[in-house]
Every structure is written in C-alpha cells, then in structure tokens.
Amino acid sequence: MTDARPVPRVDGENAPRGRLTVYLGAAPGVGKTFAMLDEAERRRARGTDVVIGLVETHGRKATAAKIGDLEVIDRLVIEHRGVEIADLDVDGVIRRSPQVVLVDELAHTNPPGAPRAKRWQDIHALLEAGIDVVTTVNVQHLASLVDDVEAITGVRQRETVPDQVVRDADQIQLVDLSPQQLRRRLAHGNIYRAEQVDASLNRYFREGNLTALRELALLWLADRVDDALTRYRSDHAIDATWPARERIVVAVTGGDESEGLIRRASRIAQRAAGSELVAVHVLPTDGLPSAPPAAIAAQRLQIESLGGTFHTVTGEDVAAAVVDFARGVNATMIVVGVSRHSRWRQALSGSSADAIARLSGAIDVHLVTHEGAGAGVRGPSRTSSMSPARRTAGWVAAVVSPIVVALISEAGTGAAEDLSTALMLQLAVVVAVALIGGLWPAIVSAVLSFLTLNLLHTEPTGRLAIDQPRDVLALVVFVAVAGAVASVVDLSARRTVQAYRARAEASTLAALSRSVLSGEDTAEAIVRRLRAVFVLDQVCLESRDDARSPWKPLAVSGDADDQREPTIVDIDDAHRMVLRGRTLAASDREVAEAFGSQMRIVLEHRRLREEAAGARKLEVSERARTALLAAVSHDLRTPLAAIRAAVDGLSAGVPMTDGDRQTLTATIQDGTSRLERLIDNLLDLSRLQVGSVQARLRASSLEEVVPAAVEPWNAWVSLSLPEDLPPVATDPGLLERVVENLVSNAVRHSPLGTPVVVTASTDGGEAVIRVVDQGPGLSDDRKAQMFEAFQRFDAVADGGVGLGLAVAQGLAQVVGATVSAEDTPGGGLTMLVAVPLVSSPPVREDAGVGEP
C-alpha cells in the first residue's frame, strides 16, 4: 500500500535530474528483479527513501516474498474495452516524491489510454522530476538487436526500447547466469509455470540460444563501456594506449597486397570476441591519391564487409601518421605488410614497416609478408609538407644557383684562384636552397657547388681535376659542412613549422574551450569554426534517433561539392560530424576529435537548456492551471450562485415589492456582467497566447474610443478629455478593450466615494491615456509582476481572476501601444497607455500579430 508521508525534496527548476540504474539480462529469469530488490534493501538500510513503483512478480513466490515490507505505490487503473488494467502511476510516484523508485520492465508498452505510450517514457518523466530510478531490461528488447535476436531464437520482439535510453543510464549492471544454470532454474519451475517448462526448454531456452543471447549482452555492454573509456581518455587528454579491448589497425596502401593484409587482420580480430577491426590509408599531404581510387574503394568495401571501418588520413611521414592514428583510436595492434622496396632502397632509406615498429611503443606490430615484398615495386613516396610550387623553386635554385654564383664570383673578383671567397659564397647558396626547398635540393646544390668550384677555382681550371691536396681537402670539407648545415637548416625549418602548428592548434583549442565553457558558442558556431580552421568545403553536424535511424543534418556550414570520401568524427551514438573537402592529416584528426569533445559539451548544454525551458513552461502552465481552477471554483461560482438565488427569488411566487424585484434583477444583471467579462478575458488571453488576434490599424479619435470604454463605469469615473486631441493610429475596438480593463481594475481598487480619473494628453509622437486611482498602490517589485496572468495582490471580494491587466497589455502590444504604471501622487496607482499618433508610424491594415 502507498504511504503518503511526504519527504522533503528540492522542487522547481533547481531540482537535479534523477539518476538511472539499469539491470541488464540476457534472458528472462536470470535474476534482474531479484538484483533490483537487493539494491533497494541495501539503499534502505543506508537510510535512503526507497519505494516500489512497479515490480512484476509473474507469479513467482520468491520474487513476491523478496518485496517484503518495501513501500509499494498503488497502481493506476486504466479501463480499456471493458477491461481494467493496472499500470505504473507516474503522477502518484511524483506526488510521493521518494528518493529512489523501482520500476520493472523498461521496454514495456503501456495500455491504451495511458499518459505515455512506453514505460521508458514514464521513467524519463520520473527522472525529470528529480527521482532516481532503478529498472530492468533484457538484451532482446534493445532496438538495435531485434533482428539478431530473431535470427537466433526465431521470435520477433514487439516490445523494444531505443538503445540510447539504456546507453544514457548512469549505471548499467549486467545480471549474468550461465545457460546451464538458467535451464536448471527453468526446470525447477522458478521462471515459468509447470505447463510451460517443457515447451520453453525446447524452444527459446535452448542452450545454444541462451549462449548466443549471453554473448550479445556481453558484447553490447562492452561497446558501452568502450564508449565511456573513449570519452574519458579524450576528456583527460590521455594519448597512451590502454589495451582494455582488442582493436586491430591494418595499414593499407591500395596495392594488391592490401587485400591479404585485411584478411589476415580480420582473422586476428576474430580470435578475441569483441575485437574491432579498423583500416587506415595514408595520403600524401598534398591530398593527391598515391594509389588508384578504384583499388582504395574496393578495399573499403572489403573491410566493411568484414565488419570493420575504413579511415583515410594525410601525413608527411607514413609511419608516423599510422602510429598517430592507432594511438588516437586506442589500438592494441598494427598489422602492416613487409616493404615492397628493394633491398638497396631499404638499406638507404629504411621502410615504413620498420619505422612503424620503431615508433609504436606499447602497440604490438604484426608484419605480414607477401609476394611483392622486396621486389622493388615503387610504393608511395614520402612527401614534404612544402607546397609543390616551393618544392619546384627549391630544385630550380639547387641547379641554377651554384652555376650563376660561380660565374658572378669569377667575373666580380677576376681571380679564378680565390677559392676561399668562392667556398663561402657557395655555402651561402646551399643554406638558401635548404631554406627554400629542404634537405635533398640542398644536397644536390652542394654537389653542383663542388663541381663548379673544381671547374673554376682549383688548378687546373677548366677541368674536373685537382692538383693540390689542400684543394681536395677544402672541397671535401666544404661538401661535408654544406651537407651538415643543410640538414640542420632543414630540421630547424621543420621544427619551426611544427612549433607554429602546435601553437596554432593550442590557441584554437584554448579559444574554443573558453567560448564553450562561457556558454558563448553554439553548435552552429563550432561547425563554422571547424570549417574555417581546417579550410574545408563543408562541415555538417548530424544526429539520429537510434542506431537504425538515418542521419539527419543538425547544423551545416559550407557546400558539399567535393566528391571525395568525407572524414567522420564521432561525438556519441546519436551525433557525429561529417567533414568534406581535403582529407585531414592524422594530427589534424586529433584536433578535430577535440572539436568533437567540445561539441558534445555544447549539445549537453543545449539539452539542459531545453529541459530547463520546458520545466519553466510547465511551471507557468501549472501555475496558470491552478489559478484557473481557483477562478472556476470561486470567481465563476460566486456570480452563478448570486444569479441562481435571484432567479429562485423571482420564480418562488413570494409576494415582493417593486424595489425587491428591481434589486434581484440588478443582481442578475451584475452577475451576468461579471461572467461575461471573465469569459471575454479568458478568450482574449487564449487568443493572444496562440497569436490569433488580428489588428486593423486606422486613424481613430480618442474622443470616441475612451468614452465607450468608460461607459460601464460612468458612476465611478471622472472623464476629462481635451477637445483638440489629434487622431491616433490604432484598432479602436481593441484599444477600447485595453482602456476598459484598466478602468475596471482601477474601480475595483479605489476607495468608496473616490472617483477614478481618466484623462488624455499628447507627448511627442504619442497620445497618452491616464487612468488614475487613489487605491493602495503597488511596490516596484509588484509592478513588474502585475501584467502576468492570474496575479492578484489583495483580498478584494470582487477581485476577479487576475486576467485584466495581462489581457490589456497583450492587446496593447497588438495595436502598437504600450502600457505602464507609475505611482499616483498622494497614494494610488496611475496606468498609462501610450498610443502612436497618425503622423508617427505609418498606418498598417490587416497587420498579423504573433504571440505577445
């Protein structure tokens, strides 16, 4: 039974969202409900207020006994086609307001007529109310696994729950039981009734079925844990590999050997359940393909058919790009083919496989041989980070500069034997070439300088020969020094570029973090910034409802004219960023992943803001509903009761004087007027809220509008209007309602015998109507609230519902006027209505108006 003892909780928009705990099982009967009740007992022993919202015992005596003396909320009884169905009473739980509530069977479908269609939606409402929820679900009810479960068991599950609902849980507990133990429990009658046991053992509860369902549950939970680990490593900037799960990265080049590499990597991944297969292809930094696009496309299809994913990155150094990518995805092994380069080339420049093994650190490297290994087939060349134009200029300078400088030197000095000067000039040329084109053009320049120096500055001149040993030594030292200087200059230039890039990345991420943390950035702003930082054609933030739903654009920047394969940056299961244009380098991808982390924060902030706005709207709606109920119970009942009494008196046949009859008739008229005003205000408020009030602005005279508005209150109003008031641009009918509501409010709050004064004057381009009373007045803080619906600040017997001022302000906004309040000298309140004159704004006809 329900215990109605209230428990203090934080209400309103400050209430924190409740925490969701899910007990996940592979099949019915593994003990999810028992585990949930065990947790309830532990929490209650620690002093937590725990209640049972709904627990399904399915006739199991042990489960019913486990409930014990835990408080149980009465169920909501819903009648459908003459049948009464008991279900979870969400409103009853919220009224009880416990700290923790138990709700069994997360995937349950509610009966027709229930407030919500699915039980997971009921649980969402409880979480939004700040109540922690503990629930249960079986893996066969997860939407993404329905087809797999049907293929295993032959049974199609009709009741499902979106995967994201379970993934978003604060805690997921796996309730595991071996197939043999579960079948034994079923045979003992601990799950189903005796007449169902044999059929269940031979169908759904076959040992093979249970083993497969158990593996599904373990793998699904492993994915969820892996997502949490990835977010943790990203949020804490952890680059080191954590081998929590086997993740195999295979480096593909687009060559014929890559197909064999992919098959070998797939076999390695299949040895450990739950392993993930990822392929990566490295493009040169200029973005030009180093392998036929058709071959790359075929290998992409191959890896995807094996259940893996394909990624493309760019990098100056292939080995470094592969290792950087592997670290970024937390890989445990890299599968790479033996180099196709010939032995002499490997001896001179090494191989990518050797470099990957040297750079991999804690990541295992698996080398796979193939028919093309060592055959001298030219693979993708190592490229420079310099632009093609700069590389071309470097090679031109390497060939031309030594000759030109040698000729100028000889012509300028006139002394071919001035070897020291020529050496210094040629050394300067080598350094310049290194700065322009890098190391290899500088080496070529040094060799050409050696030849020109030999030809023009050493005896015998004009021939490639040297007579003096000291000249031989000088030239050899020159080549060595030139090569060393060129190497140092090239390395320094590269380090400068890397330092500038690192500083730019740090500055970008710091600015992004500051803007996100300060709440200035939106998803659209981050998408625009990401596109600008990486000079992309288009960046699109996409979302989906669940794993089976199509991706839908949420925020887009740029146009997608580029047909190359886009780069995908996953944010979470329901969001991702699609980057179209140039292919990102491995280091750029790390920065893009950081953008993804910030985007996750922005989306979470957006969700929280939307939930807070929804909560505020619900609070306002609830307050309005409460006030409206009070109006129905009092402000409608009071005039109705007076009318009913007067009608009964007139129809009772009791002798009465004409004065009594007039009094009763006046009572009926007064009550009817009150009801009419109340209903008009309610209708006007509802029309204003939906934006259906239309204004017809035209030139109007206040001498016609104001007296008509004051007419019902002539006995209590002193009206004084100048005769020379200019016309105003307004809708006379709506302005009349504004003034009438203000006068009605002033009359109700004025002392008996003190008239309400209504005047008008001009002020600049406006006519100002003043409604002055000598009532109690309002403080400044209450003046800010007086125009809200259902606001009443006193205990006047005929105080109304508190709609008059709200309607007056809404109608004033529709006609372009403003309503304000100020203190009356000597006490009271003066209401001012400022209406534009005809000469002020242009007159509008049939102006549509939105929500005020």
Side-chain angles (χ1 to χ4, degrees), residues 6 318 404:
V318 173
V404 172

Side-chain angles (χ1 to χ4, degrees), residues 307-329:
T309 57
F310 191 96
H311 302 267
T312 302
V313 299
T314 59
E316 176 186 352
D317 189 318
V318 173
V322 170
V323 173
D324 287 345
F325 177 83
R327 288 201 179 102
V329 299

Side-chain angles (χ1 to χ4, degrees), residues 813-830:
Q813 291 176 345
V814 169
V815 299
T818 59
V819 179
S820 59
E822 64 182 25
D823 294 330
T824 301
L829 193 68
T830 298

Side-chain angles (χ1 to χ4, degrees), residues 218-265:
L218 291 169
L219 292 178
W220 188 92
L221 187 59
D223 284 336
R224 197 266 187 181
V225 173
D226 190 67
D227 291 342
L229 178 61
T230 301
R231 284 195 296 271
Y232 180 85
R233 296 178 72 248
S234 175
D235 294 342
H236 292 76
I238 297 174
D239 296 328
T241 301
W242 285 8
R245 178 182 184 182
E246 288 294 329
R247 185 172 283 108
I248 313 300
V249 170
V250 53
V252 297
T253 63
D256 296 337
E257 76 283 354
S258 293
E259 295 183 5
L261 284 180
I262 293 173
R263 288 191 294 271
R264 176 64 63 86

Side-chain angles (χ1 to χ4, degrees), residues 634-648 667-668 671 675:
H634 178 269
D635 295 280
L636 287 180
R637 184 181 301 171
T638 301
L640 284 175
I643 294 172
R644 177 65 182 272
V647 171
D648 289 344
T667 300
I668 295 174
L675 288 176

Side-chain angles (χ1 to χ4, degrees), residues 324-566:
D324 287 345
F325 177 83
R327 288 201 179 102
V329 299
N330 198 29
T332 57
M333 178 182 291
I334 300 174
V335 176
V336 62
V338 175
S339 176
R340 295 177 295 176
H341 296 163
S342 59
R343 294 181 181 274
W344 68 267
R345 183 170 178 180
Q346 291 185 47
L348 291 176
S349 61
S351 67
S352 295
D354 295 337
I356 290 173
R358 184 174 63 255
L359 298 173
S360 62
I363 305 175
D364 295 339
V365 177
H366 188 92
L367 292 178
V368 179
T369 189
H370 50 86
E371 293 181 356
V377 180
R378 186 177 183 274
S381 60
R382 174 174 172 171
T383 60
S384 171
S385 58
M386 298 178 182
S387 65
R390 185 172 172 181
R391 290 199 301 271
T392 301
W395 285 109
V396 171
V399 174
V400 175
S401 297
I403 300 173
V404 172
V405 169
L407 294 176
I408 293 175
S409 173
E410 182 179 3
T413 61
E417 66 276 2
D418 191 1
L419 180 60
S420 60
T421 301
L423 285 174
M424 297 304 296
L425 290 175
Q426 293 293 356
L427 183 60
V429 167
V430 173
V431 173
V433 170
L435 290 173
I436 296 173
L439 177 62
W440 290 110
I443 296 297
V444 172
S445 176
V447 173
L448 290 177
S449 296
F450 170 85
L451 296 177
T452 57
L453 290 170
N454 183 11
L455 188 66
L456 299 176
H457 293 279
T458 59
E459 296 294 339
T461 58
R463 293 189 304 164
L464 294 176
I466 303 175
D467 289 341
Q468 299 296 328
R470 67 175 183 274
D471 293 340
V472 174
L473 178 62
L475 291 179
V476 170
V477 171
F478 165 77
V479 172
V481 171
V485 170
S487 177
V488 171
V489 170
D490 178 69
L491 180 61
S492 176
R494 290 173 182 270
R495 292 290 185 264
T496 301
V497 172
Q498 292 173 0
Y500 176 79
R501 179 186 182 86
R503 186 178 66 178
E505 291 176 356
S507 177
T508 299
L509 293 178
L512 178 64
S513 299
R514 284 195 302 270
S515 60
V516 170
L517 292 175
S518 62
E520 298 173 0
D521 254 330
T522 62
E524 292 77 10
I526 291 183
V527 165
R528 288 195 301 270
R529 182 175 298 189
L530 180 59
R531 175 172 173 253
V533 167
F534 292 111
V535 197
L536 298 169
D537 294 338
Q538 184 191 65
V539 177
C540 179
L541 172 64
E542 296 182 342
S543 66
R544 61 181 178 181
D545 298 328
D546 53 57
R548 296 182 179 275
S549 300
W551 290 100
K552 298 175 293 186
L554 196 62
V556 181
S557 175
D559 298 321
D561 296 331
D562 200 302
Q563 299 301 316
R564 284 180 290 184
E565 190 69 25

